[in-house]
Amino acid sequence: MRVDARSLISLWGIAALLGTATLAQAQQPPDETAFRALYKQLIEINTTRSVGSCTQAAEAMRARLLAAGIPAADIQILAPPDRPKDGALIAVLHGRERSAKPILLLAHIDVVEAKREDWQRDPFTLVEEKGWFYARGASDDKAMAAVFTDSLIRYQKEGFKPRRDIKLALTCGEETSDIFNSVRWLTETQPTVLNALFALNEGAGGELDRDDKPVALQIQAGEKVYQDFALEASDVGGHSSRPNKNNPIVRLSAGLAKLGAHNFAIALNPATRGYFEAQTKLVSPEVAADMRAVMKNPPDEAAAERLWAVNPGWNGSLRTTCVVTEINGGHAPNALPQHVRANVNCRILPGVPIADVQREIVKVLGDDKISVAATGEAGMQSPPPPLSEQIMAPVRKVAQSIWPGVPVVPTMSTGATDGRFLNASSVPTYGLSGMFHDAEGSHAHGLNERIRVKSLLDGRRFLYEVVKIYANGGE
């Protein structure tokens, strides 16, 4: 066989690339190589509602726990009989003191739908590219699910015997709770399964500046309540050539304009106050002054407006918000409308009754011909868990060893996680990952979901160490 010079150069190039990849893999600690394989396997098992199976993913993780030596009696997969694909993995690493309440490591393994034709890469093939992992679930929430599973394996192999049990729960349905949710089902039907002193969950990461330097590590305590309201107006209708004074579209439009201009009262809780106090040390002097102004009694509304312009998320942390998300009305282009309906989505501060928000919406509309009714399941009310020294001290200790000088910042989630079910069932639940993101975020729920390789590996180290401290701690 004849080989010309160009072919030789190509062969040498391939060999060099293979050699570099082999060298890079060889330089990884063995436990990191094993973690990457676990993460890849979990990512590449499709767990979407439409065609996926959480049970398949749970079985794959169970096999890894069994291979590490965790007894089969301490691992179970639970699902309702009529939902065989919605299995949740529950595993326990037993501690020295059976009387000590366990800690719970919670992560959901279901993911949001993803269409291959919309993505730059196959969403269900883990791709590592230029320091990033790309895939559906790369961040939300298979990053934490993989880390928690990996940590349990490492503890078992090391012979780590904590004071209290460590429970692992990889659950299903967080992204589609209106259809089925493992955590809600377990708390309602088998409450002892998830019972714990407290739980660690998704809901907070870390903040990177424009130079990818860590500036704040977040810990989430509490979340807002999700609630939709239907606003409706009706009339007898008629021919469009005979308009009257009671056009439902006009009435509802006027009411929605009032609601859009309305601000609910500012109300800070310990988590949000702690967040803004920490942020005053990280932002410009002008922004810091506005943050201090909204923490006063009474809060400065003008300062809140300026903060809203800088970061809409800050406004969501300060108050209940209600926003129009859908509108539907009329039945013909040449007829007076008979009916119009709008959906208003509210994110309600913890501790504020849904009925109070409904009454405030009615008052703002000021029109008795517009009905206001809560729709869907009632939002889950749950009190924010306390940020005690028992929780905060281990976080600060481990964070200081990994990210010296980076402050720990409390936050309140303006979205929703499975923590709402656990908090409501008296299991204090905290969002804590140690996984840092830039301002663009992880693209969770969107196209080309991603996480920095370094962020994932740093989060793995952080959670492994902080869980050890928690598991040996006192009541």
Side-chain angles (χ1 to χ4, degrees):
M1 181 180 69
R2 181 184 177 190
V3 180
D4 60 23
R6 286 177 297 179
S7 298
L8 282 172
I9 291 171
S10 298
L11 289 170
W12 289 335
I14 293 170
L17 287 173
L18 289 173
T20 300
T22 303
L23 178 61
Q25 189 172 25
Q27 289 175 340
Q28 295 171 6
D31 65 286
E32 181 184 320
T33 300
F35 168 68
R36 284 169 172 260
L38 184 156
Y39 178 61
K40 177 179 173 66
Q41 181 185 26
L42 186 57
I43 288 288
E44 295 185 352
I45 297 173
N46 189 320
T47 53
T48 58
R49 171 63 59 193
S50 61
V51 299
S53 171
C54 287
T55 301
Q56 183 183 351
E59 288 172 343
M61 296 302 100
R62 175 170 63 179
R64 288 182 174 272
L65 294 171
L66 288 170
I70 295 178
D74 295 333
I75 310 170
Q76 54 185 327
I77 295 177
L78 301 174
D82 61 337
R83 307 201 70 88
K85 291 186 176 181
D86 291 338
L89 173 70
I90 309 296
V92 182
L93 182 71
H94 287 295
R96 303 185 306 272
E97 298 180 18
R98 292 301 177 93
S99 61
K101 292 189 73 172
I103 61 171
L104 175 65
L105 311 181
L106 175 68
H108 68 87
I109 50 177
D110 62 303
V111 296
V112 171
E113 302 290 337
K115 294 181 179 179
R116 174 64 186 94
E117 60 269 27
D118 295 337
W119 284 54
Q120 295 176 22
R121 310 160 189 83
D122 183 344
F124 298 103
T125 298
L126 183 65
V127 175
E128 182 176 352
E129 185 179 298
K130 297 181 180 178
W132 295 84
F133 283 126
Y134 292 90
R136 173 60 85 220
S139 176
D140 184 14
D141 186 30
K142 289 183 176 179
M144 288 191 71
V147 166
F148 283 153
T149 307
D150 169 74
S151 292
L152 219 63
I153 289 170
R154 293 167 71 189
Y155 300 150
Q156 173 68 21
K157 288 184 174 181
E158 293 167 3
F160 174 55
K161 195 73 170 175
R163 176 178 173 237
R164 63 182 75 251
D165 289 358
I166 302 174
K167 286 185 181 180
L168 170 67
L170 304 183
T171 59
C172 192
E174 194 273 349
E175 303 293 6
T176 52
S177 293
D178 56 328
I179 299 173
F180 172 77
N181 181 279
S182 287
V183 176
R184 176 167 53 189
W185 174 68
L186 287 169
T187 55
E188 291 174 351
T189 64
Q190 304 175 62
T192 59
V193 169
L194 298 180
N195 189 35
L197 181 65
F198 63 87
L200 300 183
N201 183 34
E202 64 173 337
E207 302 172 34
L208 298 170
D209 65 14
R210 292 181 179 179
D211 299 317
D212 293 340
K213 178 183 176 183
V215 293
L217 172 66
Q218 298 173 344
I219 178 168
Q220 176 250 330
E223 53 191 68
K224 297 179 86 173
V225 176
Y226 180 109
Q227 184 63 57
D228 286 315
F229 292 94
L231 277 58
E232 299 183 78
S234 300
D235 190 40
V236 295
H239 200 284
S240 60
S241 66
R242 295 168 57 86
N244 58 41
K245 297 285 188 179
N246 189 34
N247 186 311
I249 292 179
V250 173
R251 297 191 80 100
L252 187 57
S253 297
L256 293 177
K258 294 178 186 177
L259 186 60
H262 176 70
N263 285 333
F264 287 79
I266 293 172
L268 295 171
N269 58 42
T272 52
R273 182 172 294 277
Y275 172 82
F276 284 108
E277 287 173 348
Q279 285 290 332
T280 60
K281 302 177 179 65
L282 304 174
V283 297
S284 69
E286 295 80 8
V287 174
D290 282 339
M291 288 180 171
R292 285 189 286 269
V294 299
M295 288 188 283
K296 292 180 178 179
N297 187 17
D300 186 329
E301 282 286 351
E305 285 287 332
R306 291 190 292 270
L307 292 177
W308 190 351
V310 174
N311 185 338
W314 289 343
N315 180 65
S317 296
L318 288 170
R319 65 177 100 235
T320 290
T321 60
C322 291
V323 59
V324 185
T325 54
E326 294 178 317
I327 189 164
N328 190 345
H331 61 284
N334 58 351
L336 299 177
Q338 298 168 354
H339 181 259
V340 61
R341 181 184 189 276
N343 187 80
V344 171
N345 177 243
C346 295
R347 305 296 176 123
I348 303 170
L349 288 174
V352 176
I354 293 171
D356 287 0
V357 175
Q358 182 173 347
R359 281 191 288 270
E360 187 162 349
I361 292 173
V362 170
K363 182 178 179 181
V364 170
L365 297 176
D367 188 337
D368 59 7
K369 292 187 179 298
I370 301 175
S371 66
V372 180
T375 62
E377 292 188 358
M380 179 70 70
Q381 289 277 6
S382 57
L387 288 168
S388 63
E389 274 302 292
Q390 179 191 29
I391 297 298
M392 296 299 291
V395 175
R396 287 193 291 261
K397 179 180 179 180
V398 178
Q400 181 62 27
S401 69
I402 301 175
W403 308 286
V406 173
V408 177
V409 177
T411 68
M412 176 192 67
S413 174
T414 56
T417 75
D418 281 337
R420 66 191 187 276
F421 302 115
L422 289 177
N423 279 315
S425 61
S426 301
V427 179
T429 303
Y430 302 91
L432 185 68
S433 73
M435 299 176 193
F436 284 72
H437 295 278
D438 59 17
E440 191 175 338
S442 67
H443 301 174
H445 292 206
L447 298 178
N448 307 304
E449 185 178 342
R450 63 185 192 161
I451 189 172
R452 279 179 171 77
V453 175
K454 177 173 171 50
S455 293
L456 178 62
L457 296 178
D458 283 351
R460 174 179 180 250
R461 176 185 169 189
F462 171 77
L463 289 170
Y464 167 82
E465 294 183 10
V466 81
V467 168
K468 266 193 165 183
I469 299 174
Y470 283 143
N472 274 331
E475 291 288 348

